[in-house]
Amino acid sequence: MGTLQAVSGMNDLLPGDGTTARWQRLEADFRAVCSRYGFAEVRTPLCESLELFQRGVGETTDIVEKEMYTFKDRGDRTLALRPEGTASAVRAALEHRVLDREPVVRWSYLGAMFRAERPAKGRYRQFHQVGAEIYGDASAAADAEVIDLATSFLASLGITQCTVRLNSLGGPDARARYRDALVAYFTPHRDALSPDSASRLERNPLRILDSKDPRDQPLKAAAPSILDSLGDEDRAHFELLQQYLRALGVPFEVTPSLVRGLDYYTRTVFEIVDTSGSLGAQDTLCGGGRYDALFTELGSHAPVPAIGFAMGIERLLLAAPQPEAPKPFRVAVVAAAKSHETPVLAAALALAKELRANGVTATVDTRFGSMKSQMRRADDLGSTVVLVLGGNEVANGTVTMKRMATGEQQSLPRAESIHTLATEALGAR
Ligand code: ATP
Ligand code: MG
């Protein structure tokens, strides 16, 4: 029988080369930054009804048209693996009537998303996002805080070579005006458009601006600007947002061609793009915007303004510098005993347990080979200190403590060794 492999575009993370540790640090950084901005984590299921994403992401988006993993469960329900986090979070907020209790909700999330795309560097079929959203606040200040949260998080990861691109898509009136302007502009050139874009000309002409197809690029470049279609209130909101961002010291570039792939955006949209070149074609780290119509789209009786962003963890880790991880403080307990001397082996296990209970990372080579092989394993694991326990030590209530860096060795009471190492482990944190 052949060996089995993971599904293409769905990756394992292994601890040995420090990958899992990098992920855990990023997740901890994200949670820390979010909590300083007053965002609390929501966790929703990996799988939802297909209808949620059809309504919440939009029928004419790439995600719904060609990227979703959908299936029927045994009860003949049509489900989808979540391709993004916002639709589920809004569904949860509505289902649990969260806004009946809180006027403004700040939620963050983190987890796996699934899209059946062609795998490439920075593009996977199971990928992971961190995201944050504010519900119940229509102000430009909320937009500014969300964008500031995103850039602060990037800074905490050491990602400095990036640009915030900002645009406004206006409200429904502006969108309708702009839609007409685009249809008028593109229709005479329909034959020059890619088939995807040509088919979107009537259904959703804005999405043509989001196309990455080379055939669409020359026409896109000369298309009318949405900013010319904005109404007075949209324009005031956009101006205020820019003032706030300047006050917060968040640099940005107004980018009128930025429309973003999802259908539900209104007013503010933004992206953060990596400019270091380390990501190749997949250089968008973050996408976000305001989606004031989504709550009603998903069944809310009252409209609820909302804004949020999502970032791909894999791309963040490709863009972030990789500082040498500090060597953790760890202790190895070595049993100086033959395999039949079980009281000594048991004492070694018990000593490791007591160290762990006192906050010390402690290992035992439970194969209990020779002293020499246990010492070698302790060294390979990067142990700072080795505690040797033989028959005499167990009888006297002592241990032999060896410092790996210097080779210095001393005998001391068992309780004292635990106390000393607990203090050192605390200091090394
Ligand atoms: P792209 O244009 O790269 O396909 P998108 O517009 O589809 O991105 P969003 O839906 O806005 O992406 O998702 C937000 C972020 O999630 C992206 O900026 C990116 O960092 C990440 N992301 C999206 N799709 C993938 C994927 N297939 N693999 C890895 N990361 C992804
Ligand atoms: Mg995409």
Side-chain angles (χ1 to χ4, degrees):
M1 256 191 291
T3 48
L4 296 172
Q5 292 184 332
V7 176
S8 164
M10 303 196 179
N11 301 310
D12 299 310
L13 305 177
L14 303 181
D17 57 2
T19 304
T20 353
R22 284 191 84 207
W23 278 70
Q24 287 168 336
R25 276 199 299 278
L26 180 144
E27 290 162 5
D29 276 352
F30 183 69
R31 291 192 169 107
V33 176
C34 281
S35 104
R36 290 199 286 270
Y37 279 77
F39 287 73
E41 183 176 333
V42 62
R43 299 192 190 189
T44 61
L46 292 183
C47 186
E48 301 261 4
S49 72
L50 172 62
E51 189 192 348
L52 172 66
F53 301 112
Q54 287 170 331
R55 276 164 58 184
V57 178
E59 294 277 10
T60 59
T61 58
D62 281 349
I63 292 178
V64 170
E65 280 185 343
K66 48 193 180 195
E67 295 175 357
M68 263 199 299
Y69 283 96
T70 59
F71 60 98
K72 289 226 172 180
D73 75 358
R74 285 167 195 265
D76 215 28
R77 284 166 287 254
T78 307
L79 306 181
L81 296 182
R82 64 180 183 192
E84 55 104 56
T86 296
S88 308
V90 168
R91 194 247 335 118
L94 279 170
E95 185 171 335
H96 303 288
R97 300 174 168 281
V98 176
L99 284 140
D100 290 358
R101 298 187 292 275
E102 294 282 328
V104 178
V105 170
R106 291 184 166 214
W107 273 358
S108 61
Y109 63 86
L110 175 168
M113 308 294 162
F114 301 85
R115 295 185 196 176
E117 301 193 73
R118 190 209 293 253
K121 180 181 179 186
R123 190 178 297 289
Y124 312 99
R125 291 181 173 162
Q126 177 179 324
F127 65 102
H128 299 76
Q129 286 183 337
V130 297
E133 339 228 285
I134 302 181
Y135 306 144
D137 187 345
S139 72
D143 302 15
E145 283 231 283
V146 161
I147 296 172
D148 183 47
L149 165 65
T151 55
S152 295
F153 173 52
L154 292 176
S156 80
L157 298 178
I159 298 176
T160 49
Q161 288 176 275
C162 57
T163 303
V164 177
R165 292 186 184 148
L166 192 65
N167 194 20
S168 174
L169 300 181
D173 293 349
R175 279 285 267 278
R177 276 195 296 276
Y178 188 51
R179 196 182 177 287
D180 293 346
L182 284 179
V183 172
Y185 168 77
F186 281 118
T187 302
H189 307 289
R190 172 189 277 274
D191 295 344
L193 289 168
S194 67
D196 265 0
S197 290
S199 83
R200 281 177 175 145
L201 189 48
E202 277 83 35
R203 288 189 303 148
N204 192 349
L206 253 78
R207 295 276 293 107
I208 299 176
L209 299 181
D210 204 32
S211 158
K212 294 189 180 84
D213 194 303
R215 287 167 286 187
D216 297 326
Q217 304 313 310
L219 281 170
K220 258 176 64 178
S225 165
I226 178 89
L227 297 177
D228 296 330
S229 300
L230 296 186
D232 290 344
E233 284 181 27
D234 295 333
R235 204 179 299 277
H237 183 100
F238 195 40
E239 286 298 327
L240 196 52
L241 168 59
Q242 294 178 52
Q243 275 180 40
Y244 289 142
L245 289 176
R246 281 188 209 104
L248 292 167
V250 176
F252 59 88
E253 284 175 11
V254 172
T255 310
S257 61
L258 176 66
V259 294
R260 309 262 320 114
L262 311 184
D263 279 352
Y264 51 54
Y265 288 110
T266 47
R267 291 200 168 160
T268 308
V269 287
F270 64 98
E271 276 184 357
I272 306 178
V273 184
D274 175 84
T275 52
S276 71
S278 56
L279 281 167
Q282 276 64 247
D283 60 354
T284 310
L285 298 171
C286 173
R290 178 165 278 290
Y291 40 93
D292 291 349
L294 182 59
F295 271 81
T296 32
E297 187 62 44
L298 293 182
S300 174
H301 297 301
V304 178
I307 168 128
F309 69 76
M311 301 189 190
I313 296 184
E314 288 83 355
R315 293 189 196 175
L316 294 172
L317 288 171
L318 285 167
Q322 293 201 40
E324 193 68 33
K327 207 172 152 224
F329 183 86
R330 56 192 298 165
V331 176
V333 177
V334 164
K338 297 276 181 325
S339 59
H340 61 271
E341 292 177 70
T342 44
V344 179
L345 309 185
L349 292 174
L351 177 57
K353 179 183 165 87
E354 206 171 327
L355 285 163
R356 294 162 184 155
N358 282 277
V360 180
T361 300
T363 58
V364 191
D365 183 350
T366 45
R367 296 168 302 172
F368 291 126
S370 67
M371 262 280 279
K372 195 172 155 206
S373 79
Q374 288 181 63
M375 287 302 284
R376 195 180 320 119
R377 183 73 188 137
D379 199 31
D380 288 347
L381 288 173
S383 307
T384 329
V385 169
V386 173
L387 292 181
V388 183
L389 208 54
N392 287 339
E393 279 91 349
V394 173
N396 303 334
T398 59
V399 296
T400 302
M401 182 152 96
K402 180 174 177 188
R403 305 242 165 220
M404 295 302 268
T406 57
E408 165 205 351
Q409 219 164 292
Q410 76 182 115
S411 169
L412 70 174
R414 185 180 180 281
E416 192 187 326
S417 76
I418 294 169
H419 179 75
T420 305
L421 293 172
T423 311
E424 287 182 29
L426 204 60
R429 240 176 249 148

